[in-house]
Amino acid sequence: MNQEEFVEHVGPQLVHLTMRSNVPGINAGGLIRAAEIARRAGIDPRDLRLRKERTEIKLDTRTIKLNHQRPLIAGAAQAETFLEGHTLESWSDVLNSRLFFWPTGGGSTFAASLKAEDDIVQVRLDSRRFYDAFAPAIDFSPINSGSATRRASVRGDWLFVPVSEGWDAFAENRRKRGHAQRRDSVAEVSISCDIPPEVFRKLMLASGQSSSS
């Protein structure tokens, strides 16, 4: 998949949701995965599993506030029915090892439908620059991998399809496994690496607007 195909499916911008208070620290120190934040702060990443409340971690001169994982916890009673090869705890570990972004185009209205809480802002990134910076590390998902509310979709490590495998590999991934009847579209974009501050500043288009505005 080349850059133009990527933009066709995710739109010209990607949205990252974060606490408003995190934005200055992200500009200065980059965007860091929750598990990596824990490691740098001398905390066992497993302590961040299934967070019921927002969690503050002091890292160097900044305080990072992580959002809760209540949408995943909501699926606790049905975890065996929607998780393949994982427990709820280990799937939380998977989420904590990734950075997540939401598409804004390509026929998707997923980002616009997200109902964030107070003090959550949308940070918008240029999709073309994002692709150029991270193409080998970018994965697509057809669902919000961190939400298990209502009737949770089946998921496992196979859910995240590298863009390097091409569009058909992603679009047919769930259907060939019997978990979908139609070809999929992109609901979520993720990478399993951190974004250095100098790279993030080149990607960022705007921030500071509540996703519910």
Side-chain angles (χ1 to χ4, degrees), residues 95-123:
L95 302 179
N96 289 334
S97 69
R98 290 176 173 269
L99 295 173
F100 293 95
F101 310 88
W102 313 102
T104 59
S108 172
T109 58
F110 193 77
S113 71
L114 290 172
K115 301 299 182 183
E117 300 176 12
D118 291 342
D119 298 325
I120 297 285
V121 296
Q122 293 184 355
V123 178

PDB file of all heavy atoms in Angstrom, residues 95-123:
ATOM      1  N   LEU A  95      -3.111  -3.312  24.331  1.00  0.00           N
ATOM      2  CA  LEU A  95      -3.527  -1.919  24.139  1.00  0.00           C
ATOM      3  C   LEU A  95      -2.494  -0.958  24.697  1.00  0.00           C
ATOM      4  O   LEU A  95      -2.208   0.082  24.095  1.00  0.00           O
ATOM      5  CB  LEU A  95      -4.878  -1.681  24.810  1.00  0.00           C
ATOM      6  CG  LEU A  95      -6.044  -2.563  24.349  1.00  0.00           C
ATOM      7  CD1 LEU A  95      -7.302  -2.222  25.139  1.00  0.00           C
ATOM      8  CD2 LEU A  95      -6.293  -2.429  22.853  1.00  0.00           C
ATOM      9  N   ASN A  96      -1.926  -1.291  25.845  1.00  0.00           N
ATOM     10  CA  ASN A  96      -0.939  -0.420  26.481  1.00  0.00           C
ATOM     11  C   ASN A  96       0.379  -0.362  25.726  1.00  0.00           C
ATOM     12  O   ASN A  96       1.200   0.519  25.992  1.00  0.00           O
ATOM     13  CB  ASN A  96      -0.682  -0.873  27.922  1.00  0.00           C
ATOM     14  CG  ASN A  96      -1.851  -0.596  28.839  1.00  0.00           C
ATOM     15  OD1 ASN A  96      -2.644   0.315  28.591  1.00  0.00           O
ATOM     16  ND2 ASN A  96      -1.979  -1.380  29.895  1.00  0.00           N
ATOM     17  N   SER A  97       0.580  -1.282  24.788  1.00  0.00           N
ATOM     18  CA  SER A  97       1.826  -1.319  24.011  1.00  0.00           C
ATOM     19  C   SER A  97       1.686  -0.641  22.655  1.00  0.00           C
ATOM     20  O   SER A  97       2.598  -0.707  21.831  1.00  0.00           O
ATOM     21  CB  SER A  97       2.280  -2.765  23.813  1.00  0.00           C
ATOM     22  OG  SER A  97       1.404  -3.465  22.942  1.00  0.00           O
ATOM     23  N   ARG A  98       0.546   0.021  22.437  1.00  0.00           N
ATOM     24  CA  ARG A  98       0.284   0.672  21.149  1.00  0.00           C
ATOM     25  C   ARG A  98      -0.157   2.119  21.344  1.00  0.00           C
ATOM     26  O   ARG A  98      -0.654   2.498  22.399  1.00  0.00           O
ATOM     27  CB  ARG A  98      -0.814  -0.075  20.371  1.00  0.00           C
ATOM     28  CG  ARG A  98      -0.397  -1.438  19.856  1.00  0.00           C
ATOM     29  CD  ARG A  98      -1.554  -2.166  19.185  1.00  0.00           C
ATOM     30  NE  ARG A  98      -1.103  -3.390  18.557  1.00  0.00           N
ATOM     31  CZ  ARG A  98      -0.696  -3.485  17.291  1.00  0.00           C
ATOM     32  NH1 ARG A  98      -0.773  -2.414  16.502  1.00  0.00           N
ATOM     33  NH2 ARG A  98      -0.274  -4.626  16.790  1.00  0.00           N
ATOM     34  N   LEU A  99       0.013   2.903  20.260  1.00  0.00           N
ATOM     35  CA  LEU A  99      -0.575   4.233  20.154  1.00  0.00           C
ATOM     36  C   LEU A  99      -1.704   4.152  19.139  1.00  0.00           C
ATOM     37  O   LEU A  99      -1.548   3.527  18.079  1.00  0.00           O
ATOM     38  CB  LEU A  99       0.456   5.256  19.685  1.00  0.00           C
ATOM     39  CG  LEU A  99       1.634   5.528  20.622  1.00  0.00           C
ATOM     40  CD1 LEU A  99       2.643   6.450  19.924  1.00  0.00           C
ATOM     41  CD2 LEU A  99       1.163   6.148  21.929  1.00  0.00           C
ATOM     42  N   PHE A 100      -2.825   4.809  19.434  1.00  0.00           N
ATOM     43  CA  PHE A 100      -4.016   4.663  18.600  1.00  0.00           C
ATOM     44  C   PHE A 100      -4.449   5.986  17.974  1.00  0.00           C
ATOM     45  O   PHE A 100      -4.343   7.058  18.586  1.00  0.00           O
ATOM     46  CB  PHE A 100      -5.166   4.095  19.436  1.00  0.00           C
ATOM     47  CG  PHE A 100      -4.923   2.686  19.885  1.00  0.00           C
ATOM     48  CD1 PHE A 100      -4.387   2.432  21.134  1.00  0.00           C
ATOM     49  CD2 PHE A 100      -5.203   1.617  19.056  1.00  0.00           C
ATOM     50  CE1 PHE A 100      -4.147   1.127  21.554  1.00  0.00           C
ATOM     51  CE2 PHE A 100      -4.970   0.317  19.455  1.00  0.00           C
ATOM     52  CZ  PHE A 100      -4.442   0.065  20.709  1.00  0.00           C
ATOM     53  N   PHE A 101      -4.971   5.865  16.758  1.00  0.00           N
ATOM     54  CA  PHE A 101      -5.409   7.012  15.968  1.00  0.00           C
ATOM     55  C   PHE A 101      -6.692   6.614  15.237  1.00  0.00           C
ATOM     56  O   PHE A 101      -6.938   5.444  14.958  1.00  0.00           O
ATOM     57  CB  PHE A 101      -4.327   7.407  14.966  1.00  0.00           C
ATOM     58  CG  PHE A 101      -2.964   7.555  15.589  1.00  0.00           C
ATOM     59  CD1 PHE A 101      -2.115   6.455  15.698  1.00  0.00           C
ATOM     60  CD2 PHE A 101      -2.542   8.772  16.097  1.00  0.00           C
ATOM     61  CE1 PHE A 101      -0.877   6.565  16.301  1.00  0.00           C
ATOM     62  CE2 PHE A 101      -1.303   8.895  16.705  1.00  0.00           C
ATOM     63  CZ  PHE A 101      -0.458   7.785  16.809  1.00  0.00           C
ATOM     64  N   TRP A 102      -7.483   7.638  14.898  1.00  0.00           N
ATOM     65  CA  TRP A 102      -8.790   7.377  14.285  1.00  0.00           C
ATOM     66  C   TRP A 102      -8.860   8.034  12.908  1.00  0.00           C
ATOM     67  O   TRP A 102      -8.457   9.188  12.747  1.00  0.00           O
ATOM     68  CB  TRP A 102      -9.903   7.903  15.188  1.00  0.00           C
ATOM     69  CG  TRP A 102      -9.692   7.492  16.602  1.00  0.00           C
ATOM     70  CD1 TRP A 102      -9.206   8.265  17.621  1.00  0.00           C
ATOM     71  CD2 TRP A 102      -9.889   6.199  17.167  1.00  0.00           C
ATOM     72  NE1 TRP A 102      -9.112   7.528  18.775  1.00  0.00           N
ATOM     73  CE2 TRP A 102      -9.522   6.259  18.528  1.00  0.00           C
ATOM     74  CE3 TRP A 102     -10.347   4.990  16.639  1.00  0.00           C
ATOM     75  CZ2 TRP A 102      -9.595   5.163  19.370  1.00  0.00           C
ATOM     76  CZ3 TRP A 102     -10.419   3.895  17.483  1.00  0.00           C
ATOM     77  CH2 TRP A 102     -10.058   3.974  18.820  1.00  0.00           C
ATOM     78  N   PRO A 103      -9.378   7.326  11.914  1.00  0.00           N
ATOM     79  CA  PRO A 103      -9.477   7.882  10.561  1.00  0.00           C
ATOM     80  C   PRO A 103     -10.541   8.966  10.476  1.00  0.00           C
ATOM     81  O   PRO A 103     -11.498   8.978  11.251  1.00  0.00           O
ATOM     82  CB  PRO A 103      -9.865   6.668   9.705  1.00  0.00           C
ATOM     83  CG  PRO A 103     -10.562   5.755  10.655  1.00  0.00           C
ATOM     84  CD  PRO A 103      -9.883   5.944  11.995  1.00  0.00           C
ATOM     85  N   THR A 104     -10.361   9.870   9.529  1.00  0.00           N
ATOM     86  CA  THR A 104     -11.323  10.961   9.342  1.00  0.00           C
ATOM     87  C   THR A 104     -11.923  10.975   7.946  1.00  0.00           C
ATOM     88  O   THR A 104     -12.686  11.874   7.610  1.00  0.00           O
ATOM     89  CB  THR A 104     -10.646  12.328   9.582  1.00  0.00           C
ATOM     90  OG1 THR A 104      -9.544  12.469   8.668  1.00  0.00           O
ATOM     91  CG2 THR A 104     -10.150  12.452  11.007  1.00  0.00           C
ATOM     92  N   GLY A 105     -11.594  10.009   7.122  1.00  0.00           N
ATOM     93  CA  GLY A 105     -12.108  10.023   5.754  1.00  0.00           C
ATOM     94  C   GLY A 105     -12.231   8.619   5.208  1.00  0.00           C
ATOM     95  O   GLY A 105     -12.368   7.654   5.951  1.00  0.00           O
ATOM     96  N   GLY A 106     -12.157   8.513   3.883  1.00  0.00           N
ATOM     97  CA  GLY A 106     -12.288   7.209   3.249  1.00  0.00           C
ATOM     98  C   GLY A 106     -13.646   6.584   3.474  1.00  0.00           C
ATOM     99  O   GLY A 106     -13.792   5.369   3.492  1.00  0.00           O
ATOM    100  N   GLY A 107     -14.671   7.422   3.671  1.00  0.00           N
ATOM    101  CA  GLY A 107     -16.005   6.894   3.926  1.00  0.00           C
ATOM    102  C   GLY A 107     -16.258   6.604   5.389  1.00  0.00           C
ATOM    103  O   GLY A 107     -17.335   6.171   5.769  1.00  0.00           O
ATOM    104  N   SER A 108     -15.253   6.837   6.259  1.00  0.00           N
ATOM    105  CA  SER A 108     -15.407   6.544   7.674  1.00  0.00           C
ATOM    106  C   SER A 108     -15.851   7.787   8.449  1.00  0.00           C
ATOM    107  O   SER A 108     -15.329   8.863   8.261  1.00  0.00           O
ATOM    108  CB  SER A 108     -14.083   6.047   8.257  1.00  0.00           C
ATOM    109  OG  SER A 108     -14.165   5.943   9.664  1.00  0.00           O
ATOM    110  N   THR A 109     -16.819   7.596   9.328  1.00  0.00           N
ATOM    111  CA  THR A 109     -17.248   8.671  10.226  1.00  0.00           C
ATOM    112  C   THR A 109     -16.937   8.282  11.663  1.00  0.00           C
ATOM    113  O   THR A 109     -17.490   8.837  12.601  1.00  0.00           O
ATOM    114  CB  THR A 109     -18.759   8.935  10.082  1.00  0.00           C
ATOM    115  OG1 THR A 109     -19.474   7.717  10.367  1.00  0.00           O
ATOM    116  CG2 THR A 109     -19.099   9.409   8.680  1.00  0.00           C
ATOM    117  N   PHE A 110     -16.034   7.315  11.832  1.00  0.00           N
ATOM    118  CA  PHE A 110     -15.771   6.765  13.154  1.00  0.00           C
ATOM    119  C   PHE A 110     -15.234   7.819  14.108  1.00  0.00           C
ATOM    120  O   PHE A 110     -15.681   7.918  15.249  1.00  0.00           O
ATOM    121  CB  PHE A 110     -14.790   5.596  13.047  1.00  0.00           C
ATOM    122  CG  PHE A 110     -14.693   4.775  14.296  1.00  0.00           C
ATOM    123  CD1 PHE A 110     -15.689   3.878  14.608  1.00  0.00           C
ATOM    124  CD2 PHE A 110     -13.626   4.913  15.153  1.00  0.00           C
ATOM    125  CE1 PHE A 110     -15.614   3.113  15.762  1.00  0.00           C
ATOM    126  CE2 PHE A 110     -13.543   4.161  16.314  1.00  0.00           C
ATOM    127  CZ  PHE A 110     -14.541   3.253  16.614  1.00  0.00           C
ATOM    128  N   ALA A 111     -14.260   8.598  13.668  1.00  0.00           N
ATOM    129  CA  ALA A 111     -13.680   9.606  14.561  1.00  0.00           C
ATOM    130  C   ALA A 111     -14.739  10.594  15.025  1.00  0.00           C
ATOM    131  O   ALA A 111     -14.780  10.983  16.192  1.00  0.00           O
ATOM    132  CB  ALA A 111     -12.536  10.339  13.868  1.00  0.00           C
ATOM    133  N   ALA A 112     -15.608  10.999  14.109  1.00  0.00           N
ATOM    134  CA  ALA A 112     -16.641  11.976  14.463  1.00  0.00           C
ATOM    135  C   ALA A 112     -17.652  11.403  15.458  1.00  0.00           C
ATOM    136  O   ALA A 112     -18.288  12.138  16.206  1.00  0.00           O
ATOM    137  CB  ALA A 112     -17.365  12.438  13.201  1.00  0.00           C
ATOM    138  N   SER A 113     -17.781  10.067  15.481  1.00  0.00           N
ATOM    139  CA  SER A 113     -18.771   9.445  16.348  1.00  0.00           C
ATOM    140  C   SER A 113     -18.252   9.190  17.753  1.00  0.00           C
ATOM    141  O   SER A 113     -19.025   8.845  18.641  1.00  0.00           O
ATOM    142  CB  SER A 113     -19.227   8.106  15.746  1.00  0.00           C
ATOM    143  OG  SER A 113     -18.201   7.137  15.839  1.00  0.00           O
ATOM    144  N   LEU A 114     -16.955   9.348  17.967  1.00  0.00           N
ATOM    145  CA  LEU A 114     -16.388   9.089  19.285  1.00  0.00           C
ATOM    146  C   LEU A 114     -16.941  10.083  20.306  1.00  0.00           C
ATOM    147  O   LEU A 114     -16.957  11.277  20.072  1.00  0.00           O
ATOM    148  CB  LEU A 114     -14.857   9.190  19.243  1.00  0.00           C
ATOM    149  CG  LEU A 114     -14.133   8.086  18.485  1.00  0.00           C
ATOM    150  CD1 LEU A 114     -12.656   8.426  18.377  1.00  0.00           C
ATOM    151  CD2 LEU A 114     -14.315   6.740  19.158  1.00  0.00           C
ATOM    152  N   LYS A 115     -17.367   9.549  21.430  1.00  0.00           N
ATOM    153  CA  LYS A 115     -17.909  10.391  22.494  1.00  0.00           C
ATOM    154  C   LYS A 115     -16.886  10.438  23.626  1.00  0.00           C
ATOM    155  O   LYS A 115     -16.843   9.575  24.493  1.00  0.00           O
ATOM    156  CB  LYS A 115     -19.249   9.828  22.993  1.00  0.00           C
ATOM    157  CG  LYS A 115     -20.305   9.712  21.908  1.00  0.00           C
ATOM    158  CD  LYS A 115     -20.646  11.083  21.296  1.00  0.00           C
ATOM    159  CE  LYS A 115     -21.740  10.952  20.252  1.00  0.00           C
ATOM    160  NZ  LYS A 115     -22.038  12.230  19.589  1.00  0.00           N
ATOM    161  N   ALA A 116     -16.049  11.427  23.597  1.00  0.00           N
ATOM    162  CA  ALA A 116     -15.012  11.550  24.615  1.00  0.00           C
ATOM    163  C   ALA A 116     -15.550  12.281  25.833  1.00  0.00           C
ATOM    164  O   ALA A 116     -16.571  12.953  25.783  1.00  0.00           O
ATOM    165  CB  ALA A 116     -13.805  12.295  24.047  1.00  0.00           C
ATOM    166  N   GLU A 117     -14.824  12.128  26.931  1.00  0.00           N
ATOM    167  CA  GLU A 117     -15.217  12.767  28.170  1.00  0.00           C
ATOM    168  C   GLU A 117     -14.627  14.176  28.245  1.00  0.00           C
ATOM    169  O   GLU A 117     -13.838  14.584  27.400  1.00  0.00           O
ATOM    170  CB  GLU A 117     -14.737  11.916  29.346  1.00  0.00           C
ATOM    171  CG  GLU A 117     -15.313  10.510  29.335  1.00  0.00           C
ATOM    172  CD  GLU A 117     -14.749   9.655  30.443  1.00  0.00           C
ATOM    173  OE1 GLU A 117     -14.093  10.210  31.339  1.00  0.00           O
ATOM    174  OE2 GLU A 117     -14.952   8.432  30.411  1.00  0.00           O
ATOM    175  N   ASP A 118     -15.016  14.905  29.272  1.00  0.00           N
ATOM    176  CA  ASP A 118     -14.476  16.252  29.472  1.00  0.00           C
ATOM    177  C   ASP A 118     -12.955  16.195  29.578  1.00  0.00           C
ATOM    178  O   ASP A 118     -12.388  15.237  30.089  1.00  0.00           O
ATOM    179  CB  ASP A 118     -15.047  16.865  30.755  1.00  0.00           C
ATOM    180  CG  ASP A 118     -16.528  17.184  30.634  1.00  0.00           C
ATOM    181  OD1 ASP A 118     -17.013  17.257  29.480  1.00  0.00           O
ATOM    182  OD2 ASP A 118     -17.188  17.342  31.671  1.00  0.00           O
ATOM    183  N   ASP A 119     -12.320  17.207  29.099  1.00  0.00           N
ATOM    184  CA  ASP A 119     -10.861  17.364  29.157  1.00  0.00           C
ATOM    185  C   ASP A 119     -10.110  16.478  28.163  1.00  0.00           C
ATOM    186  O   ASP A 119      -8.883  16.439  28.182  1.00  0.00           O
ATOM    187  CB  ASP A 119     -10.309  17.109  30.568  1.00  0.00           C
ATOM    188  CG  ASP A 119     -10.860  18.101  31.575  1.00  0.00           C
ATOM    189  OD1 ASP A 119     -11.073  19.263  31.186  1.00  0.00           O
ATOM    190  OD2 ASP A 119     -11.087  17.716  32.731  1.00  0.00           O
ATOM    191  N   ILE A 120     -10.843  15.760  27.311  1.00  0.00           N
ATOM    192  CA  ILE A 120     -10.200  15.007  26.228  1.00  0.00           C
ATOM    193  C   ILE A 120     -10.205  15.884  24.990  1.00  0.00           C
ATOM    194  O   ILE A 120     -11.216  16.505  24.652  1.00  0.00           O
ATOM    195  CB  ILE A 120     -10.952  13.693  25.922  1.00  0.00           C
ATOM    196  CG1 ILE A 120     -10.920  12.755  27.130  1.00  0.00           C
ATOM    197  CG2 ILE A 120     -10.380  13.015  24.696  1.00  0.00           C
ATOM    198  CD1 ILE A 120      -9.601  12.069  27.354  1.00  0.00           C
ATOM    199  N   VAL A 121      -9.071  15.950  24.292  1.00  0.00           N
ATOM    200  CA  VAL A 121      -8.986  16.755  23.081  1.00  0.00           C
ATOM    201  C   VAL A 121      -8.564  15.893  21.894  1.00  0.00           C
ATOM    202  O   VAL A 121      -7.987  14.818  22.058  1.00  0.00           O
ATOM    203  CB  VAL A 121      -7.984  17.928  23.237  1.00  0.00           C
ATOM    204  CG1 VAL A 121      -8.462  18.882  24.311  1.00  0.00           C
ATOM    205  CG2 VAL A 121      -6.591  17.412  23.558  1.00  0.00           C
ATOM    206  N   GLN A 122      -8.878  16.392  20.731  1.00  0.00           N
ATOM    207  CA  GLN A 122      -8.440  15.775  19.486  1.00  0.00           C
ATOM    208  C   GLN A 122      -7.136  16.428  19.040  1.00  0.00           C
ATOM    209  O   GLN A 122      -7.078  17.646  18.878  1.00  0.00           O
ATOM    210  CB  GLN A 122      -9.480  15.969  18.385  1.00  0.00           C
ATOM    211  CG  GLN A 122     -10.792  15.246  18.599  1.00  0.00           C
ATOM    212  CD  GLN A 122     -11.717  15.409  17.406  1.00  0.00           C
ATOM    213  OE1 GLN A 122     -11.409  16.139  16.460  1.00  0.00           O
ATOM    214  NE2 GLN A 122     -12.849  14.744  17.444  1.00  0.00           N
ATOM    215  N   VAL A 123      -6.138  15.619  18.838  1.00  0.00           N
ATOM    216  CA  VAL A 123      -4.907  16.087  18.218  1.00  0.00           C
ATOM    217  C   VAL A 123      -4.899  15.527  16.794  1.00  0.00           C
ATOM    218  O   VAL A 123      -4.969  14.318  16.597  1.00  0.00           O
ATOM    219  CB  VAL A 123      -3.664  15.608  18.989  1.00  0.00           C
ATOM    220  CG1 VAL A 123      -2.395  16.069  18.296  1.00  0.00           C
ATOM    221  CG2 VAL A 123      -3.692  16.122  20.424  1.00  0.00           C
TER     222      VAL A 123
END
